[in-house]
Amino acid sequence: MTEPIILHVDYTFDDLRELNVAHAKRERGRHWWVSVVVLAMVIVIVVVLPQLSRALAPPTAPAPPPPAASATPLRDVCLPLLPYVLMLVTIVVLVKVYARSVYKRAFDERNPLQRRHVIELSPRGVTSSEPLARHEYAWEAFNRWIESPNLLLLYLSHNMMLPLPKRAFASPEEVERCRALLRAMIDTPRSARQAFEVLPAPSAAPLPVPPLPLPIPPLPAAPLPVPPVPPVPPKGDGE
């Protein structure tokens, strides 16, 4: 039997942040079409609509040509896009700051992440215990796992996972042993893990020949017919 892997884990804020980043990256990979749609919308708003509005505008008197020194096509292209770029950068920065504040507030609240966990992994399942709770999971409870630079994430559902920090392992060899266990117990289809035992084929011994059935006995002979006895006439007194 494989020796169990026992981890003593003290979670940090960086673990929570990396957990959410890895999950968001995986979701973006699954929903790549959303990014394509957003990019197409940005191109339509920034490039197509201005060109279309200029094409549909009524003709006006031609503007005087700019001086030769200021004829810079690159600047003419970049200046109209500058407000959109600044707006996009501002939105990205605000979203990151807000997300960090949400993660920090969630980590600072009284929750299981602030308590030491003892996690045991073995072929029988996974056990996670902390001072106020204890959870035991069969391997069938996990539907997938992913790896980030510093974590192994065991998914219990779409948005619920059990993080395993790599710093809690005793050595790189133990991390690799844990990967092998996860591949065998989670990646391997359940039907392959729970297949019926293969039994050896029985020896090809000759089957006994059944005895021949007995012959059917003959039917009993019918009795011979008895001839009728003629009646005897009664004797009279004169005789």
Side-chain angles (χ1 to χ4, degrees), residues 5 7 11 111-113 115-122 124-139 141-142 154 156 160-164:
I5 301 173
L7 307 177
Y11 291 107
N111 58 63
L113 290 179
R115 299 189 285 269
R116 165 166 284 204
H117 287 66
V118 179
I119 302 175
E120 180 179 340
L121 301 98
S122 69
R124 295 189 302 270
V126 180
T127 302
S128 176
S129 58
E130 43 105 345
L132 301 181
R134 174 184 172 85
H135 303 277
E136 294 184 0
Y137 305 99
W139 284 110
F142 302 97
L154 280 61
L156 289 161
M160 184 178 179
M161 63 201 76
L162 177 65
L164 306 178

Side-chain angles (χ1 to χ4, degrees), residues 31-42:
H31 304 288
W32 56 269
W33 57 271
V34 177
S35 301
V36 174
V37 171
V38 171
L39 180 60
M41 292 178 62
V42 170

Side-chain angles (χ1 to χ4, degrees), residues 82-230:
L82 186 59
Y84 299 100
V85 174
L86 292 177
M87 181 178 63
L88 182 61
V89 171
T90 304
I91 292 175
V92 171
V93 172
L94 290 177
V95 169
K96 287 186 175 295
V97 172
Y98 176 75
R100 181 180 177 85
S101 64
V102 170
Y103 298 155
K104 186 65 176 175
R105 185 167 61 251
F107 184 80
D108 290 340
E109 293 176 353
R110 186 173 180 268
N111 58 63
L113 290 179
Q114 294 184 349
R115 299 189 285 269
R116 165 166 284 204
H117 287 66
V118 179
I119 302 175
E120 180 179 340
L121 301 98
S122 69
R124 295 189 302 270
V126 180
T127 302
S128 176
S129 58
E130 43 105 345
L132 301 181
R134 174 184 172 85
H135 303 277
E136 294 184 0
Y137 305 99
W139 284 110
E140 285 74 14
F142 302 97
N143 49 39
R144 63 183 177 275
W145 69 281
I146 63 174
E147 182 175 356
S148 65
N150 300 302
L151 298 174
L152 297 174
L153 303 176
L154 280 61
Y155 275 80
L156 289 161
S157 65
H158 180 69
N159 291 318
M160 184 178 179
M161 63 201 76
L162 177 65
L164 306 178
K166 294 181 182 179
R167 66 178 181 277
F169 291 88
S171 63
E173 290 75 16
E174 192 174 48
V175 177
E176 183 57 37
R177 190 157 65 94
C178 181
R179 291 194 190 100
L181 182 63
L182 298 181
R183 296 189 193 102
M185 306 308 296
I186 299 179
D187 294 347
T188 304
R190 188 178 307 175
S191 58
R193 298 200 309 267
Q194 299 179 351
F196 294 103
E197 182 181 1
V198 178
L199 300 177
S203 58
L207 296 176
V209 179
L212 296 176
L214 297 176
I216 300 176
L219 296 175
L224 296 176
V226 178
V229 178

